[in-house]
Amino acid sequence: MATVLVVDDDRVVSHLVSSLLREKGYKTLAAFDAVQALMSAKRAPPVDAIVLDVNMPGGSGEETLRKLKMSTLTQNIPVIILSQERVRALGADAVLSKPLVPEELFEALTKAL
């Protein structure tokens, strides 16, 4: 069972995404800002994928994505961005817009994993 780290400062969105993923058999972890996201991504055992919001406290999603891709501990973890297309160039494996369409999330995770 794959573990997905859901990073969004909006707890309603975080809960919704986590619930959708659990219904499909994924294990989920939550982080609500950039600092928590980076700490959670580097913990053992590693997560299998990250769903990352762009706008959040403690650092932007773009900055968080850059740090994830620069670290040898996290550079190979697939990252799916919830928000803006321009971050794909930074190394995101997929970019999904809000409001989230569950089928798009599941498709992106299937491709990334």
Side-chain angles (χ1 to χ4, degrees):
M1 170 185 337
T3 301
V4 179
L5 175 60
V6 178
V7 185
D8 198 313
D9 62 313
D10 184 329
R11 291 178 187 262
V12 172
V13 172
S14 177
H15 180 72
L16 172 67
V17 172
S18 294
S19 294
L20 289 168
L21 292 172
R22 285 192 300 273
E23 286 177 13
K24 291 291 187 177
Y26 293 98
K27 181 179 175 188
T28 62
L29 301 173
F32 303 104
D33 63 37
V35 174
Q36 286 180 345
L38 292 168
M39 289 174 47
S40 295
K42 292 180 179 182
R43 287 195 182 132
V47 295
D48 298 296
I50 299 170
V51 175
L52 178 64
D53 185 29
V54 170
N55 298 313
M56 60 187 162
S60 72
E62 291 177 23
E63 179 182 318
T64 303
L65 179 58
R66 278 191 200 99
K67 289 179 180 179
L68 288 166
K69 294 303 178 181
M70 288 182 351
S71 171
T72 58
L73 295 174
T74 57
Q75 65 188 7
N76 293 321
I77 299 173
V79 177
I80 296 169
I81 295 288
L82 290 179
S83 231
Q84 303 167 1
E85 184 64 33
R86 65 189 169 95
V87 294
R88 183 182 297 270
L90 298 175
D93 293 275
V95 178
L96 305 176
S97 61
K98 290 182 180 178
L100 180 66
V101 176
E103 292 77 21
E104 291 177 359
L105 174 61
F106 302 139
E107 182 180 329
L109 274 172
T110 298
K111 285 180 182 177
L113 296 172

